[in-house]
Amino acid sequence: MREIGIPHPRLPLPAPGQEDDLDQFLSWLGEAIPMVTTLGIREMTREGDSLAWALSLTPSLNDKGTGFGGALVAQTTLLGWCWTTLWLRRHGLARDVVVAEATQRFLAPVTGDYHLVCMPATEDATARLAERLELRDKGRIALVQRLWCGDTLCLEARGDYAVLPAS
């Protein structure tokens, strides 16, 4: 049981040169952030610079029988946090990440199970983050999250995620 004001223990970093086990990370995330277990995440996958979730709509239904905007926004924000945290972990860094700014555009109703994809907003975003971390011990990265219901783009979100200085 999580306690208010008490940080959850960090997941140990993967061995140098190895990727995180995404199932293990998702399990840890559900312990660290209790609402994760109710989001309907069925699968987490990584392909190149993108991180994706496959989700069930049922936990996020609104009164109209479609996706509840607040739940969808929480999911896009959390996926960006996961992307940033996993990128840091691949680089041997156990750092705190916070969302600094986020915006969303709702384009179509979410009417069935869906998937979210997160990726850097620009091609040089990861290089710029690495440079800032090296020079200033902190940095920010802009990410884009897109929610797809079948072939329909239903939501596009953008977020700036801040990597805090080492404590």
Side-chain angles (χ1 to χ4, degrees):
M1 176 79 132
R2 291 295 317 279
E3 291 185 42
I4 296 171
I6 307 296
H8 190 70
R10 290 184 192 270
L11 186 64
L13 289 171
Q18 292 197 348
E19 299 267 329
D20 273 289
D21 175 330
L22 294 181
D23 290 333
Q24 179 187 32
F25 180 81
L26 196 54
S27 177
W28 169 84
L29 189 64
E31 296 169 8
I33 304 172
M35 76 174 219
V36 167
T37 61
T38 64
L39 295 179
I41 302 167
R42 295 189 323 239
E43 181 182 31
M44 177 186 274
T45 57
R46 181 184 300 124
E47 186 176 320
D49 263 351
S50 69
L51 183 66
W53 284 346
L55 297 109
S56 298
L57 176 58
T58 304
S60 299
L61 283 173
N62 65 17
D63 59 318
K64 295 160 204 63
T66 61
F68 173 58
L72 304 176
V73 168
Q75 293 164 2
T76 62
T77 302
L78 183 58
L79 183 58
W81 181 92
C82 289
W83 188 101
T84 307
T85 299
L86 288 166
W87 184 90
L88 290 165
R89 291 174 57 76
R90 283 196 311 277
H91 291 84
L93 301 169
R95 302 288 286 278
D96 287 328
V97 174
V98 296
V99 62
E101 186 175 340
T103 60
Q104 305 81 32
R105 282 184 50 224
F106 293 89
L107 305 168
V110 178
T111 58
D113 293 348
Y114 54 99
H115 64 277
L116 274 171
V117 180
C118 179
M119 64 191 68
T122 62
E123 286 185 25
D124 66 342
T126 55
R128 289 178 39 201
L129 176 59
E131 181 181 317
R132 287 182 185 134
L133 290 171
E134 181 70 28
L135 294 174
R136 298 184 183 142
D137 195 38
K138 63 181 180 177
R140 282 172 77 138
I141 187 165
L143 301 173
V144 174
Q145 300 90 16
R146 292 185 178 99
L147 186 154
W148 296 88
C149 189
D151 293 331
T152 303
L153 178 60
C154 298
L155 168 63
E156 185 169 69
R158 296 181 57 88
D160 283 353
Y161 293 82
V163 179
L164 303 180
S167 49

